[in-house]
Amino acid sequence: QVQPVESGGGLVQPGESLTLSCDASGRTTASYILAWFRQAPGKEREFVAHINWSGSYTRYQDSVKGRFTISRDNAKSTLYLQMNSLEPEDTALYYCAASRFVTTETGRYDFWGQGTQVTVSS
């Protein structure tokens, strides 16, 4: 079973960068699709990006393309999200999740972390 633990959130100004990390230790972690989702106050949880086990396939939400980069280190069972040129609209609780399927659907992710808060404000 995978029990993700996110870290790296914080308060930054617009245009700045942050890197989120997710410790996804657990049996068969390397075979899972790992993803980042986010949820802003009053809004539904939304897909941000995901990556396959080898790192050869990634997919991003349109609003973060070119600004965010997802990567993973299977030897460390760690998922990353490099976020550049942050905007106030990126403010949300960011979650790491794992799935056996290549999907953007929240309901098809089996394992979720508790989230790390990212706040972008001047």
Side-chain angles (χ1 to χ4, degrees), residues 10-18 38 67-68 83-92 94 117-122:
L11 172 63
V12 297
Q13 295 187 346
E16 293 186 339
S17 299
L18 272 178
R38 66 186 181 186
R67 299 190 298 121
F68 290 11
M83 305 186 294
N84 298 326
S85 303
L86 282 161
E87 303 169 352
E89 293 73 23
D90 297 316
T91 294
Y94 282 71
Q117 178 67 39
V118 173
T119 303
V120 185
S121 174
S122 56

Side-chain angles (χ1 to χ4, degrees), residues 31-83:
S31 65
Y32 277 74
I33 295 293
L34 295 181
W36 290 100
F37 286 78
R38 66 186 181 186
Q39 187 167 17
K43 295 186 177 181
E44 293 187 353
R45 193 170 298 187
E46 64 176 6
F47 170 81
V48 175
H50 67 196
I51 187 169
N52 70 343
W53 71 272
S54 68
S56 62
Y57 168 78
T58 59
R59 180 175 178 176
Y60 297 89
Q61 181 197 107
D62 286 346
S63 69
V64 307
K65 284 181 181 177
R67 299 190 298 121
F68 290 11
T69 302
I70 190 171
S71 61
R72 65 191 289 175
D73 183 338
N74 289 332
K76 297 180 179 180
S77 297
T78 303
L79 176 70
Y80 303 98
L81 186 68
Q82 173 67 43
M83 305 186 294

